Amino acid sequence: MPLQKPNPNNSEPTTRETAKTIQGVLAKTTTMVAALPGTNEKSPKSPTPYLSPMIASNTSGLSTTDFEVLRCLFSDAMLHTLSSSKELIAIEGSIESTTLKEDSLYFLKERPKQIPNGFSLRSFNYLCNPDGSIRWVFPQSNSQPVFLAFYFAGDFKTKVKCRVLRLLYALNLQSFFLKKEFFLLTSEPLNLEREYQLEEQDYAFFTGTKGPNRKALLHFQSNKGKHFVKIPISLRSQKLVTAEKAAYKRIGKLILNKITISNVQESREQHLHMIETGVFGTGSEAQLTEKHIKGILEIQSQTSTERDFSHFQKKNTSDLLFLAKNSEDASIRSLASSCSMLGSLIDSQRKVQTYLAHGDFTAWNCKTNDEQLYLYDLELTDELPVYYDLIHFTLQSEILLGNKGFDKIQQALRACRKSIEQEEGISLSGEKWNEHLQHYLFTNTAFNLPIFNQQVSNNGELHEQAYWLMKNWEMLINQSMPVPKASNHRANFVRHFFKDISNLDYAILKGEIEIPFELKEHSDIDLVVPRSNLQKIIKIAEQGTHVNTVKQVDK
């Protein structure tokens, strides 16, 4: 089969482009009316999620979001839509006093004393995230802890937890730690159980990561292998699943010796049904290894192409500038400002080698076995700068698996560079490696910030780990920033000045200036600022590099 290289003119959007478009639109529509940063006004939150009549009687004791996710899983619904094969109704109190309809599905917090004629009872346990939201759901009848298929055991502590859980199941003692439960009363088999023949099998759901692109994952086993079914639970995530199917087909056309991907099965149009065979990778390694590097470099060698850096600037600059000024979150504003500054300092005509990247290559999105690298979760596959995946793996492991500190991150990046040099038989100069870091930092940060901003707009806050990521991305961006020529100290001051005042109110007079960092060296800068911010801005100016005197003239 001939090798297939990415087609720059291909009109079909990649999964990453689909997500970027969705998040970009959401970020702007939800924050466009926000008060300027630095004011005392609170920008309006996103509207309360639409509560479907299908769940209008939510007395389940669960949050509205968790209850609607269960509706999506068990009644074939989509979030915030009326489309559903059944109603999901929470019953509070005795079912004897409730008139039951055969075409409805009933949720109970407690096991009923008696099951009505014509109905059957399905019992489930669930485990929660640290914030109390539902993470895993599985039948109480499971004989094995199959939900552990979703759990990344990358260190000694998590591996011990997994062994303890498996031992408890082997001794039939799981009920001692599985305390959270609910029950479903139904007049016929549950749709997903019937469709995937799960009535007599162990299975589990991962309910997905919060956000507009949320997807659930169903896992079960058969004589064919391990099955994973990605289930979109919103119309937006449906587009991502459709695009991910295309990514599997695209990678499947390559002739790869170091990489294996799941077999995609024919299933319901909305679902992505994948099967891992018995030889699929069994190891999950938190650190970058030779297997990871060889696998990614194999794809890179077969799909390599070239673009000007302007391609990435055009896709991302406007979103970054918008977030630098309008995000409710100070960390997002600061990072967006730094990232847009980095993008403006890189020559738009710089040639950037790209390849068909995984897009979210992490220790928990791959496995290893013998000499093979096994990839899954391809929803962010896209044409990205070379070494993107290897840098991403390194940073995600160092930051998210323990937040190890900036010195450890730098050490890990140096090890990543050395491993690439050894594998490819090349020598990457410090300048060239810094360019690769710049390409990664700009594209990765520009992609993720709109997603983070949308979560802030919806929920008012981000998970702690998001702040770990942003803090370290910004430190790396500032470290990798091109150094302006000594003759251009004023331009350097302008760039840093606008970054430092990004969380304050101001307006630029005299013409439309979209990117303050690109002001000509001898341009006048006329700002209108609230009097309450004047001393803050003067102090920022005084702290600027090569600034000797700041004068305040009252007129």
Side-chain angles (χ1 to χ4, degrees):
M1 184 179 295
L3 303 183
Q4 301 289 321
K5 289 191 175 183
N7 179 4
N9 299 316
N10 192 341
S11 60
E12 182 178 352
T14 65
T15 48
R16 193 180 184 89
E17 287 170 342
T18 302
K20 178 73 174 177
T21 301
I22 291 169
Q23 296 295 352
V25 170
L26 286 171
K28 292 184 179 181
T29 55
T30 55
T31 60
M32 189 67 76
V33 295
L36 287 173
T39 66
N40 293 324
E41 296 180 51
K42 293 288 186 179
S43 60
K45 303 294 182 185
S46 297
T48 301
Y50 168 69
L51 183 61
S52 164
M54 299 288 182
I55 60 167
S57 56
N58 177 15
T59 56
S60 64
L62 304 176
S63 70
T64 298
T65 299
D66 280 342
F67 192 61
E68 185 151 312
V69 168
L70 294 181
R71 179 179 78 96
C72 294
L73 295 178
F74 293 115
S75 64
D76 287 348
M78 288 287 187
L79 283 175
H80 319 319
T81 69
L82 294 174
S83 174
S84 177
S85 61
K86 288 174 178 273
E87 290 182 274
L88 180 60
I89 301 173
I91 297 179
E92 188 174 19
S94 172
I95 63 172
E96 287 77 10
S97 59
T98 304
T99 302
L100 304 180
K101 298 184 293 184
E102 290 188 357
D103 60 348
S104 294
L105 186 63
Y106 294 93
F107 177 100
L108 298 91
K109 291 184 289 186
E110 299 179 357
R111 184 183 295 274
K113 296 179 181 179
Q114 184 176 353
I115 301 174
N117 291 334
F119 285 83
S120 61
L121 189 70
R122 303 290 286 114
S123 308
F124 292 88
N125 286 117
Y126 63 95
L127 296 172
C128 293
N129 293 303
D131 64 2
S133 60
I134 293 180
R135 182 176 182 83
W136 297 321
V137 176
F138 44 92
Q140 287 185 351
S141 59
N142 279 3
S143 60
Q144 298 291 331
V146 295
F147 56 87
L148 291 179
F150 308 123
Y151 188 60
F152 175 69
D155 56 28
F156 177 76
K157 184 177 180 180
T158 54
K159 288 177 180 177
V160 169
K161 286 182 180 180
C162 290
R163 290 181 181 178
V164 170
L165 287 170
R166 291 190 175 96
L167 178 61
L168 289 173
Y169 265 88
L171 298 174
N172 200 28
L173 298 175
Q174 62 268 28
S175 60
F176 285 95
F177 81 95
L178 296 175
K179 300 299 183 181
K180 297 181 183 297
E181 61 183 3
F182 66 85
F183 305 88
L184 294 179
L185 199 62
T186 179
S187 60
E188 58 185 30
L190 299 172
N191 291 340
L192 283 175
E193 288 189 343
R194 179 175 54 208
E195 181 171 351
Y196 294 104
Q197 301 177 354
L198 301 176
E199 290 90 340
E200 304 298 328
Q201 293 203 58
D202 289 357
Y203 68 90
F205 292 107
F206 168 59
T207 63
T209 304
K210 288 182 179 180
N213 299 325
R214 188 171 187 172
K215 297 166 289 293
L217 199 61
L218 165 66
H219 170 58
F220 62 95
Q221 296 191 48
S222 74
N223 55 7
K224 292 182 179 179
K226 298 179 180 179
H227 297 248
F228 291 89
V229 182
K230 190 168 287 190
I231 304 170
I233 53 179
S234 73
L235 297 176
R236 292 190 288 269
S237 62
Q238 173 63 71
K239 295 179 180 179
L240 294 180
V241 170
T242 300
E244 186 174 0
K245 288 183 180 181
Y248 270 96
K249 290 181 181 179
R250 192 175 180 187
I251 292 181
K253 293 178 181 179
L254 302 175
I255 301 175
L256 301 171
N257 298 315
K258 302 294 184 183
I259 285 182
T260 299
I261 59 174
S262 299
N263 296 318
V264 176
Q265 301 294 299
E266 290 296 328
S267 64
R268 190 189 309 186
E269 181 181 358
Q270 295 92 341
H271 293 178
L272 175 59
H273 183 185
M274 301 158 286
I275 297 181
E276 299 177 358
T277 63
V279 297
F280 208 86
T282 56
S284 297
E285 300 176 85
Q287 303 303 315
L288 197 65
T289 69
E290 184 179 356
K291 299 171 190 175
H292 297 110
I293 295 170
K294 285 184 175 181
I296 295 302
L297 292 181
E298 183 178 40
I299 289 186
Q300 187 170 296
S301 67
Q302 294 190 27
T303 62
S304 179
T305 186
E306 187 176 78
R307 288 186 179 275
D308 289 344
F309 187 72
S310 60
H311 167 75
F312 300 102
Q313 290 171 319
K314 290 175 183 176
K315 288 174 62 175
N316 299 304
T317 299
S318 62
D319 284 346
L320 288 170
L321 291 170
F322 177 85
L323 293 176
K325 186 63 179 173
N326 294 289
S327 177
E328 300 174 39
D329 188 281
S331 295
I332 292 177
R333 292 196 303 271
S334 178
L335 179 54
S337 181
S338 293
C339 191
S340 59
M341 184 191 300
L342 172 63
S344 71
L345 290 174
I346 297 175
D347 184 355
S348 61
Q349 300 305 309
R350 179 194 285 181
K351 300 300 179 184
V352 179
Q353 290 293 119
T354 62
Y355 73 110
L356 185 60
H358 181 285
D360 192 20
F361 183 56
T362 60
W364 43 94
N365 282 339
C366 68
K367 294 180 182 178
T368 56
N369 189 25
D370 298 328
E371 296 302 315
Q372 284 284 300
L373 174 66
Y374 300 82
L375 295 179
Y376 47 91
D377 203 1
L378 304 180
E379 65 180 53
L380 297 184
T381 297
D382 198 3
E383 187 182 324
L384 295 168
V386 294
Y387 307 133
Y388 183 100
D389 283 331
L390 299 178
I391 295 172
H392 188 73
F393 187 106
T394 301
L395 292 180
Q396 293 292 99
S397 290
E398 293 299 318
I399 297 172
L400 295 183
L401 300 180
N403 194 21
K404 298 175 183 177
F406 195 63
D407 289 342
K408 292 288 187 181
I409 290 171
Q410 291 179 302
Q411 182 180 338
L413 285 172
R414 287 193 293 269
C416 175
R417 171 187 171 185
K418 184 177 180 180
S419 297
I420 292 171
E421 290 177 326
Q422 291 175 344
E423 186 59 37
E424 292 204 294
I426 61 174
S427 177
L428 290 169
S429 67
E431 181 180 357
K432 192 63 179 176
W433 178 246
N434 193 55
E435 287 184 2
H436 292 307
L437 287 176
Q438 290 171 355
H439 300 161
Y440 167 80
L441 291 165
F442 182 78
T443 53
N444 173 70
T445 303
F447 174 75
N448 281 286
L449 282 187
I451 298 174
F452 290 169
N453 191 63
Q454 176 63 20
Q455 293 172 353
V456 169
S457 298
N458 286 344
N459 307 318
E461 60 182 359
L462 284 171
H463 192 278
E464 181 184 20
Q465 289 180 322
Y467 290 105
W468 295 355
L469 290 168
M470 289 194 290
K471 175 184 175 181
N472 286 287
W473 290 344
E474 183 156 18
M475 292 171 71
L476 287 166
I477 285 173
N478 290 333
Q479 186 181 72
S480 71
M481 200 85 72
V483 179
K485 296 179 181 178
S487 62
N488 206 8
H489 291 319
R490 184 179 183 280
N492 190 27
F493 166 79
V494 169
R495 294 186 183 101
H496 286 281
F497 176 75
F498 276 103
K499 175 185 176 300
D500 292 340
I501 68 170
S502 62
N503 64 336
L504 300 174
D505 288 352
Y506 69 87
I508 303 176
L509 299 183
K510 294 185 179 179
E512 295 183 2
I513 302 174
E514 183 180 11
I515 306 177
F517 316 133
E518 294 184 349
L519 282 168
K520 294 181 180 179
E521 184 173 357
H522 299 291
S523 298
D524 288 334
I525 304 173
D526 295 312
L527 298 181
V528 176
V529 300
R531 183 168 293 278
S532 59
N533 287 338
L534 179 59
Q535 293 305 314
K536 296 178 184 177
I537 291 176
I538 290 175
K539 186 175 181 180
I540 289 171
E542 289 174 337
Q543 293 172 344
T545 306
H546 303 293
V547 173
N548 295 321
T549 305
V550 175
K551 293 183 179 180
Q552 179 178 345
V553 179
D554 295 320
K555 295 183 179 181

